[in-house]
Amino acid sequence: MAAIKWEGVFPAVTTKFHANEELDHAEMEKHFSFMIDSGCHGLVTCGSLGEASTLSFEEKLAVAKTAVKVANGRVPVLANVSETRTANAERYVQEARDLGVDGFMVMPSVLYAADAFEAKANLRTIAKAAKLPIMVYNNPVTYKVDLTPADFKELSDCEELEAIKESTDNIRRVTDLRNAVGDRYAIFMGVDDLSFEGLAVGADGLLAGLVVAFPKETVALYKLVKAGRLAEALKLYQWFMPLLHLDVSSKLVQNLKLVEALVGAGNENVRRPRQPLRGADREFVVQVVQQALATRPDVSAYL
Amino acid sequence: MAAIKWEGVFPAVTTKFHANEELDHAEMEKHFSFMIDSGCHGLVTCGSLGEASTLSFEEKLAVAKTAVKVANGRVPVLANVSETRTANAERYVQEARDLGVDGFMVMPSVLYAADAFEAKANLRTIAKAAKLPIMVYNNPVTYKVDLTPADFKELSDCEELEAIKESTDNIRRVTDLRNAVGDRYAIFMGVDDLSFEGLAVGADGLLAGLVVAFPKETVALYKLVKAGRLAEALKLYQWFMPLLHLDVSSKLVQNLKLVEALVGAGNENVRRPRQPLRGADREFVVQVVQQALATRPDVSAYL
Amino acid sequence: MAAIKWEGVFPAVTTKFHANEELDHAEMEKHFSFMIDSGCHGLVTCGSLGEASTLSFEEKLAVAKTAVKVANGRVPVLANVSETRTANAERYVQEARDLGVDGFMVMPSVLYAADAFEAKANLRTIAKAAKLPIMVYNNPVTYKVDLTPADFKELSDCEELEAIKESTDNIRRVTDLRNAVGDRYAIFMGVDDLSFEGLAVGADGLLAGLVVAFPKETVALYKLVKAGRLAEALKLYQWFMPLLHLDVSSKLVQNLKLVEALVGAGNENVRRPRQPLRGADREFVVQVVQQALATRPDVSAYL
Amino acid sequence: MAAIKWEGVFPAVTTKFHANEELDHAEMEKHFSFMIDSGCHGLVTCGSLGEASTLSFEEKLAVAKTAVKVANGRVPVLANVSETRTANAERYVQEARDLGVDGFMVMPSVLYAADAFEAKANLRTIAKAAKLPIMVYNNPVTYKVDLTPADFKELSDCEELEAIKESTDNIRRVTDLRNAVGDRYAIFMGVDDLSFEGLAVGADGLLAGLVVAFPKETVALYKLVKAGRLAEALKLYQWFMPLLHLDVSSKLVQNLKLVEALVGAGNENVRRPRQPLRGADREFVVQVVQQALATRPDVSAYL
């Protein structure tokens, strides 16, 4: 089991489509390169932001394969595991490992609101099949399953589980986790508009969204906080905040794909039932991006 | 497009598995027959209670096929459409129609919390492909998408949409629907422990859960309310209520499969990440069933 | 302890003010008479709808006194007890009893979200001081304290507690209460737009809101359901529903005072921080009332 | 209008009672002195933690008077305004100003869930009567009224409103407020277990709870973050966290009074319907305090 350095900024990349909803691997290659070249420290494919719910088993593997090819060992590639049946998840991690991913992000249970006992059993089963490092993606807001610090303490003996993506929307959880399990797990903040706070209370990295359009600013934020340059980091964060809020929305995919399109880092193609933003929702995002670009700070000195 | 008589009791049947998680068609044939022979007026396959989230595209078709075979024209068979991608849902309804289902139950959007615009577009697209009568399954509690009476009014021109499964957990919605759209749609109450109230305010039928173990009592409840015999219906409902509550739970599948097992109408096999009930959850259900059986009313006169 | 006949329609009357926010006893006398003359079976003063939170201890007693004078033994008068300190509640019930009220409506705890142990102790203390029949007002939605059927079972030995105002917004609770405590308590439905459903599942009466402007329709609804004339009752209820929804709102006071004003049964004066409705909120209520008046059924035959 | 220096740690002090529920001014004098002598920068009387809901108008003034006497100009005293009727709030601020308080904490609306228009009108009316600096206490979680950054921008011309107690439980709000209104208002974090995060994103001070038992640790936390000594601050915060969680509970009063009793800074007397903690709730707090005392850091170097 190769080591993953659990720190820095890992983008939960968007999945790129042609207008006819087919996968656009060329566009993904371009975008994954953009992430790595901008200083990101890892890639996570087919997460919530990657429209996992509309992708087939095979498509998810294909996207992971493209990411592995682009990364080429420069940064670790994590394939998100979003199968709704345990047996399928076991098969998924085996096939993904065979094509070269470095690890996995695993949701405790998708669609079915498993209780903690079931969710932990599910994680252990997947971990055993994966034989690779895993970041557990704990998101009770969207997926209705919450693993508490006590649950993660109980899972400590499951060695594949190395990191936690903290998406409870409850910043206190980082401190409660540290108090419960110390440094047993790396902690990544999974909520964009809690990223400064998360790093301030000791998170090791960011599992980020807006990074898909603003990678350098995200990396700069990470580096400034880690360097203890709080005042500069806070100023950057205040500028970034209206954009970061776009990640916390049932329309996060469409929001971020529109942001990508507006900054030249992608297009708005999504798979139905999702549709691109319309009307006031769209105007709001356009206005946020225009305002951000008009006041964009120069972060080159921080990288 | 053949006609469906939208009234009576339609069970959302459980999907039967062998101990190794494989589909158990023999057990399903037996159970579907039990439903029809007990007086039920339709069958709905692979809904929430049918563990749709763990079934493959092909498995869902196979279950529908078994139901069609068992029903053999005696009652309509509706296949639930739970595809998370619109394009897959289109393909699903086409294939299911080809194997002989009478209509569909359709969720406005699964996993992705679509807004009303997207959900309505999704429904229209699926309806167009289905070319069969459709019951829209509106369940904002579990699926986070709520189509309001105004939305259903807007959808009135989509003629395949003939019925609504009301699962908002808000009994007022039946009256609001009637006020908004009159009798344009048949209304089925989709929440077991609101079934008496739903029928009292004019619902046409029940899309029921506990019926899988207590079909005669469910049919009797329906008939008594429809006959205006409120006092008798209420007495039956009061007896039934502790059982009916078991349908409103994140563990409804396990609850109802245990109830089935306890009354000799099935087994507890589920697909992971679901697991059979344990500990206090299990004891509670056992106690509810024992109490119900000890005081079970004779409903033969009402059938 | 004189008997109260716990059935029928008990209005939670509005408190009338002059434009300068002072109590308008003349207007209250007129309105309380209107309620009784229209067939209501009781009066409840200074509840949520009566702006209890803005009234002093002495003012609440003064309103109760006016109600006692107007009722003059024709119907029972219940004074609502909304003191936030237990010791004040004890003093309040003693003084109200001395001026002749027939009983009390008591909230388990106001402002402080007491747990069940504290809420029950509070009720017992108040009951002991009251020495008169009490209706417990269970409203977890607004007041964050929920007494369950098990709690009411535990309180069964406290004989002053004779009735329950069911305002959990959960219609199942009526049946759960019957199953837990039989007919130990009278049950009044406290949510206007669940009144038909509440009576259908066996509630004894209505603790009603819109009755302040439409008393005859409310009494007719009660009588029709109790007479088993469901179809006629449902038709009346469907007409009534848009009005009844106005009772379930943080602006219920302003909504209902505007309705009163529009039908000639009161004015819109409220005490700050409340203000009369403005803008779209106001137009909506006006439109609902106009529509209701334009289609108002003749209920004289049902009274 | 004398100036208040809006920075540092302001305890929301508990109100002390004798066993018979009467005010215990001697105990309050002792406790208020303890706060000031330990380095706190202000005092706030009769807030949520001060059991405002059980205190009479006169009692609240009496507590404020005691605080003014003890403070004797060393730190500002803010009287919390919790009147449920606007007219009473006007009278309250006038009488409190006459007895020498330095300013007020004002809740936008208590008990009635005012909309933003009403809440802002209420604040303006109270501010006009107060003629003293005001901290607006924005707590939608408990009081159901939420003033947004846009609302505070709209209130910018109301010069008495100088500070905001941020109790939305949403740490992002601090940054959103800065982006909307810059430094127009001082911002105090009002949620104990968000205090480190709040200070990190630029809050000016803490409106604190656990400070009533651990004042030096609270002041040290404030000073360390303000001095940019993040690592030391975080270590202290991690130690403090289990205690700080006790402030976020419907039982915060009883929790903190038990903590006070355990560390020798008060007693557990509360006013009914509140009752001292029992059973598991009590054991939990005792265990948290024992653990905290056993590992208590020496903060003397930071003060």
Side-chain angles (χ1 to χ4, degrees):
Chain A
M1 199 160 91
I4 290 180
K5 202 168 177 186
W6 293 109
E7 58 182 46
V9 175
F10 284 38
V13 292
T14 48
T15 300
K16 306 296 186 189
F17 301 109
H18 292 287
N20 68 356
E21 297 195 7
E22 289 305 298
L23 288 177
D24 184 345
H25 285 281
E27 189 71 16
M28 285 190 270
E29 289 189 20
K30 196 171 126 194
H31 194 256
F32 299 166
S33 292
F34 172 48
M35 292 294 100
I36 298 170
D37 296 344
S38 300
C40 293
H41 308 84
L43 289 180
V44 183
T45 58
C46 303
S48 308
L49 182 56
E51 294 174 65
S53 67
T54 70
L55 300 171
S56 71
F57 189 94
E58 293 72 23
E59 288 175 325
K60 287 184 274 195
L61 291 173
V63 173
K65 192 172 177 181
T66 295
V68 168
K69 187 177 91 176
V70 172
N72 194 24
R74 291 180 292 168
V75 301
V77 171
L78 307 182
N80 181 48
V81 181
S82 58
E83 303 306 306
T84 52
R85 183 182 172 195
T86 302
N88 293 345
E90 290 179 86
R91 195 159 55 89
Y92 182 78
V93 293
Q94 287 158 354
E95 299 197 20
R97 188 186 60 229
D98 287 348
L99 61 78
V101 304
D102 302 280
F104 297 99
M105 183 161 83
V106 183
M107 293 147 135
S109 176
V110 178
L111 242 176
Y112 167 54
D115 67 20
F117 179 91
E118 294 167 320
K120 286 184 284 188
N122 194 39
L123 284 172
R124 286 178 183 278
T125 301
I126 297 170
K128 193 174 172 185
K131 295 174 192 161
L132 282 177
I134 286 172
M135 170 182 282
V136 180
Y137 175 17
N138 196 41
N139 183 339
V141 179
T142 301
Y143 299 104
K144 300 182 186 173
V145 180
D146 189 16
L147 293 180
T148 64
D151 289 317
F152 280 110
K153 191 172 182 181
E154 198 271 326
L155 287 167
S156 292
D157 64 295
C158 186
E159 61 181 18
E160 288 85 2
L161 307 183
E162 298 190 352
I164 298 168
K165 177 182 176 186
E166 224 309 295
S167 295
T168 59
D169 207 61
N170 177 6
I171 188 66
R172 305 163 176 98
R173 195 54 81 81
V174 177
T175 298
D176 289 344
L177 278 166
R178 288 295 185 218
N179 279 340
V181 293
D183 294 326
R184 164 63 184 82
Y185 301 94
I187 299 177
F188 273 54
M189 175 45 59
V191 183
D192 266 27
D193 58 6
L194 293 175
S195 54
F196 175 93
E197 293 89 339
L199 293 169
V201 292
D204 301 284
L206 303 177
L207 211 310
L210 266 295
V211 66
V212 296
F214 291 91
K216 291 187 176 172
E217 288 80 1
T218 308
V219 172
L221 181 69
Y222 167 77
K223 292 194 169 177
L224 284 170
V225 180
K226 285 295 170 186
R229 296 163 69 176
L230 265 279
E232 291 156 290
L234 181 56
K235 205 175 159 195
L236 175 59
Y237 189 54
Q238 289 171 335
W239 166 81
F240 215 167
M241 191 55 115
L243 285 164
L244 298 176
H245 285 332
L246 301 176
D247 187 54
V248 182
S249 161
S250 61
K251 295 241 174 66
L252 80 162
V253 170
Q254 296 97 316
N255 284 346
L256 269 60
K257 284 196 161 178
L258 176 52
V259 176
E260 287 183 328
L262 290 169
V263 303
N267 61 58
E268 290 187 68
N269 297 333
V270 290
R271 275 191 172 170
R272 291 167 301 153
R274 274 189 187 79
Q275 296 195 30
L277 296 179
R278 305 168 309 281
D281 285 351
R282 183 177 196 83
E283 284 164 35
F284 177 72
V285 173
V286 169
Q287 175 268 319
V288 166
V289 173
Q290 287 175 338
Q291 174 69 13
L293 292 179
T295 58
R296 191 174 194 166
D298 179 0
V299 297
S300 54
Y302 306 143
L303 300 174
Chain B
M1 196 162 89
I4 290 180
K5 201 167 177 186
W6 294 108
E7 59 182 44
V9 175
F10 285 38
V13 291
T14 47
T15 301
K16 307 296 186 188
F17 300 110
H18 291 287
N20 68 356
E21 296 195 9
E22 289 306 297
L23 289 177
D24 184 345
H25 285 281
E27 189 71 15
M28 285 190 270
E29 290 190 21
K30 197 170 127 193
H31 195 257
F32 299 167
S33 293
F34 172 48
M35 292 294 100
I36 299 171
D37 296 343
S38 301
C40 293
H41 308 84
L43 289 179
V44 182
T45 58
C46 303
S48 309
L49 183 55
E51 295 174 65
S53 67
T54 70
L55 301 170
S56 73
F57 189 93
E58 293 72 23
E59 288 175 324
K60 287 185 273 194
L61 291 173
V63 173
K65 193 172 177 182
T66 295
V68 168
K69 186 177 92 176
V70 172
N72 194 24
R74 291 180 293 169
V75 302
V77 171
L78 308 182
N80 181 49
V81 181
S82 58
E83 304 306 306
T84 52
R85 184 183 171 194
T86 302
N88 293 345
E90 290 180 86
R91 194 158 56 87
Y92 183 79
V93 293
Q94 288 157 356
E95 300 197 19
R97 189 186 59 229
D98 289 346
L99 61 79
V101 304
D102 301 280
F104 296 99
M105 184 160 85
V106 183
M107 293 147 135
S109 175
V110 178
L111 242 177
Y112 168 54
D115 68 20
F117 179 90
E118 294 168 320
K120 287 185 283 189
N122 194 39
L123 284 173
R124 286 179 182 279
T125 301
I126 297 170
K128 194 174 172 185
K131 296 175 191 161
L132 282 177
I134 286 172
M135 171 182 283
V136 180
Y137 176 16
N138 195 42
N139 183 339
V141 179
T142 302
Y143 299 103
K144 299 183 187 173
V145 180
D146 188 16
L147 293 180
T148 64
D151 289 317
F152 280 110
K153 191 171 183 182
E154 198 270 327
L155 286 167
S156 291
D157 65 294
C158 185
E159 60 181 19
E160 288 85 3
L161 307 182
E162 297 190 354
I164 298 167
K165 176 182 176 186
E166 223 308 295
S167 295
T168 60
D169 207 61
N170 178 5
I171 188 66
R172 306 163 175 98
R173 195 54 82 78
V174 177
T175 298
D176 289 343
L177 278 167
R178 289 295 185 218
N179 279 341
V181 293
D183 294 326
R184 164 63 184 82
Y185 302 93
I187 299 176
F188 273 55
M189 175 46 60
V191 183
D192 265 28
D193 59 5
L194 293 175
S195 54
F196 174 94
E197 294 88 339
L199 293 169
V201 293
D204 300 285
L206 302 177
L207 211 310
L210 265 294
V211 66
V212 297
F214 292 91
K216 291 188 176 171
E217 288 79 1
T218 309
V219 172
L221 180 70
Y222 168 76
K223 291 194 170 176
L224 285 170
V225 181
K226 284 296 169 186
R229 295 163 69 174
L230 265 278
E232 292 157 290
L234 182 56
K235 205 175 158 196
L236 176 58
Y237 189 55
Q238 288 171 335
W239 165 81
F240 215 168
M241 192 53 116
L243 286 163
L244 299 175
H245 285 332
L246 301 176
D247 187 54
V248 181
S249 161
S250 61
K251 295 241 174 66
L252 80 161
V253 170
Q254 295 98 314
N255 284 346
L256 269 62
K257 284 196 162 178
L258 175 53
V259 176
E260 287 183 328
L262 290 169
V263 303
N267 60 58
E268 291 186 69
N269 297 332
V270 291
R271 273 190 172 170
R272 292 168 301 154
R274 273 190 188 79
Q275 297 196 30
L277 296 179
R278 304 168 310 281
D281 285 351
R282 182 176 197 84
E283 285 164 34
F284 178 71
V285 173
V286 169
Q287 175 270 319
V288 166
V289 173
Q290 286 175 340
Q291 173 68 13
L293 293 178
T295 58
R296 192 174 194 166
D298 178 1
V299 298
S300 55
Y302 306 144
L303 298 175
Chain C
M1 194 161 93
I4 290 180
K5 203 168 177 184
W6 293 109
E7 59 181 46
V9 175
F10 285 38
V13 291
T14 48
T15 300
K16 306 296 187 188
F17 300 110
H18 292 287
N20 68 356
E21 296 196 9
E22 289 306 298
L23 289 177
D24 184 345
H25 284 282
E27 190 70 15
M28 285 190 270
E29 289 189 20
K30 198 171 127 192
H31 194 256
F32 298 166
S33 293
F34 172 49
M35 291 295 99
I36 298 171
D37 296 345
S38 300
C40 293
H41 307 85
L43 289 179
V44 182
T45 58
C46 303
S48 308
L49 183 55
E51 293 172 69
S53 68
T54 70
L55 300 171
S56 71
F57 190 94
E58 293 73 23
E59 287 175 326
K60 287 185 271 195
L61 290 173
V63 173
K65 192 172 177 182
T66 294
V68 168
K69 187 177 92 177
V70 171
N72 194 24
R74 292 181 291 170
V75 301
V77 171
L78 307 183
N80 182 49
V81 181
S82 58
E83 304 305 309
T84 51
R85 183 183 172 195
T86 302
N88 293 345
E90 291 180 85
R91 196 159 54 89
Y92 182 79
V93 293
Q94 288 157 356
E95 298 196 19
R97 187 185 63 227
D98 289 347
L99 61 79
V101 302
D102 300 280
F104 297 99
M105 183 159 85
V106 183
M107 295 147 134
S109 176
V110 179
L111 243 174
Y112 168 55
D115 67 20
F117 179 90
E118 294 168 320
K120 287 185 281 190
N122 194 37
L123 283 173
R124 286 179 183 278
T125 302
I126 296 171
K128 192 174 173 185
K131 297 176 190 161
L132 282 177
I134 286 173
M135 170 182 283
V136 180
Y137 176 18
N138 195 42
N139 184 338
V141 180
T142 302
Y143 298 105
K144 300 183 187 172
V145 180
D146 188 16
L147 293 180
T148 65
D151 289 318
F152 280 110
K153 191 171 182 182
E154 198 269 328
L155 285 167
S156 292
D157 65 293
C158 185
E159 61 181 16
E160 288 85 2
L161 307 183
E162 297 190 353
I164 298 168
K165 177 181 176 186
E166 224 308 295
S167 295
T168 59
D169 208 61
N170 177 6
I171 188 67
R172 306 163 175 99
R173 195 56 81 79
V174 177
T175 298
D176 289 344
L177 278 166
R178 289 295 186 218
N179 278 342
V181 294
D183 294 326
R184 164 63 185 80
Y185 302 93
I187 299 177
F188 274 54
M189 175 45 59
V191 182
D192 266 28
D193 58 7
L194 294 174
S195 54
F196 174 94
E197 293 88 340
L199 293 169
V201 291
D204 300 284
L206 303 176
L207 211 310
L210 266 294
V211 65
V212 297
F214 291 92
K216 290 186 177 172
E217 288 80 1
T218 309
V219 172
L221 180 69
Y222 167 77
K223 291 193 169 177
L224 284 170
V225 180
K226 283 296 169 186
R229 297 163 68 176
L230 265 280
E232 292 157 289
L234 182 56
K235 204 173 157 197
L236 175 59
Y237 189 54
Q238 289 172 335
W239 165 81
F240 215 167
M241 192 55 115
L243 286 163
L244 298 175
H245 284 332
L246 302 176
D247 187 55
V248 182
S249 161
S250 62
K251 294 242 174 67
L252 81 161
V253 170
Q254 295 97 316
N255 284 347
L256 270 62
K257 284 194 161 179
L258 175 53
V259 176
E260 287 183 329
L262 290 168
V263 303
N267 61 57
E268 289 187 70
N269 297 332
V270 290
R271 274 191 173 170
R272 291 168 301 156
R274 275 189 186 81
Q275 296 195 31
L277 296 178
R278 304 168 309 280
D281 285 350
R282 182 177 197 85
E283 283 164 35
F284 177 72
V285 173
V286 168
Q287 175 269 320
V288 166
V289 173
Q290 285 175 340
Q291 174 69 11
L293 292 178
T295 58
R296 189 174 195 167
D298 179 0
V299 298
S300 55
Y302 305 143
L303 299 175
Chain D
M1 197 161 90
I4 291 179
K5 201 168 178 185
W6 294 109
E7 59 181 45
V9 176
F10 285 38
V13 290
T14 48
T15 300
K16 306 296 186 189
F17 300 109
H18 291 287
N20 67 357
E21 296 195 8
E22 289 306 297
L23 290 177
D24 183 345
H25 285 282
E27 190 71 15
M28 286 189 269
E29 289 190 21
K30 198 171 126 192
H31 194 257
F32 299 166
S33 292
F34 172 49
M35 292 294 100
I36 298 171
D37 295 343
S38 300
C40 293
H41 308 84
L43 289 179
V44 182
T45 59
C46 304
S48 308
L49 183 55
E51 294 173 67
S53 68
T54 69
L55 300 171
S56 72
F57 190 94
E58 292 73 22
E59 288 175 325
K60 287 185 271 194
L61 291 173
V63 173
K65 193 172 176 181
T66 294
V68 168
K69 187 177 91 177
V70 172
N72 194 25
R74 291 180 292 169
V75 301
V77 171
L78 307 183
N80 181 49
V81 181
S82 58
E83 304 305 308
T84 51
R85 183 182 173 195
T86 302
N88 293 345
E90 291 180 85
R91 194 158 56 87
Y92 182 79
V93 293
Q94 287 157 357
E95 299 197 19
R97 188 186 60 229
D98 288 347
L99 60 80
V101 304
D102 301 281
F104 297 98
M105 184 161 84
V106 183
M107 294 146 133
S109 176
V110 178
L111 243 174
Y112 168 54
D115 68 19
F117 179 90
E118 294 168 321
K120 287 185 282 189
N122 194 38
L123 283 173
R124 286 179 183 278
T125 301
I126 296 170
K128 192 173 172 185
K131 296 176 191 160
L132 282 176
I134 285 172
M135 170 181 283
V136 179
Y137 175 18
N138 196 42
N139 183 339
V141 179
T142 302
Y143 299 105
K144 300 183 186 172
V145 180
D146 188 15
L147 293 180
T148 65
D151 289 318
F152 280 109
K153 191 172 183 182
E154 198 270 329
L155 285 167
S156 292
D157 65 293
C158 186
E159 60 181 18
E160 288 86 2
L161 307 181
E162 297 190 353
I164 297 169
K165 177 182 176 185
E166 225 307 295
S167 296
T168 59
D169 207 60
N170 178 5
I171 188 67
R172 306 162 175 99
R173 195 55 81 79
V174 176
T175 298
D176 289 343
L177 278 167
R178 289 295 185 218
N179 278 341
V181 293
D183 295 326
R184 164 62 183 83
Y185 302 93
I187 298 177
F188 273 54
M189 176 45 60
V191 183
D192 266 26
D193 57 6
L194 293 175
S195 54
F196 175 94
E197 294 89 339
L199 293 169
V201 292
D204 301 284
L206 302 177
L207 212 310
L210 265 295
V211 65
V212 297
F214 291 91
K216 290 187 177 172
E217 287 80 1
T218 309
V219 172
L221 180 69
Y222 167 78
K223 290 193 170 176
L224 284 170
V225 181
K226 284 296 170 186
R229 297 164 69 174
L230 265 280
E232 291 156 290
L234 181 55
K235 204 175 159 196
L236 175 60
Y237 189 54
Q238 288 172 334
W239 165 81
F240 216 168
M241 191 55 116
L243 287 163
L244 298 175
H245 284 332
L246 301 176
D247 187 54
V248 181
S249 160
S250 62
K251 294 240 173 66
L252 81 161
V253 170
Q254 295 98 315
N255 285 346
L256 271 61
K257 284 195 161 178
L258 175 53
V259 176
E260 287 183 327
L262 291 168
V263 303
N267 60 59
E268 289 188 69
N269 298 332
V270 290
R271 273 190 173 170
R272 292 167 301 156
R274 272 189 189 82
Q275 296 194 29
L277 295 179
R278 304 168 309 281
D281 285 351
R282 182 177 197 84
E283 283 164 35
F284 178 71
V285 173
V286 169
Q287 175 268 320
V288 166
V289 173
Q290 286 175 340
Q291 173 70 11
L293 292 179
T295 58
R296 190 174 194 166
D298 179 0
V299 297
S300 54
Y302 305 144
L303 300 175

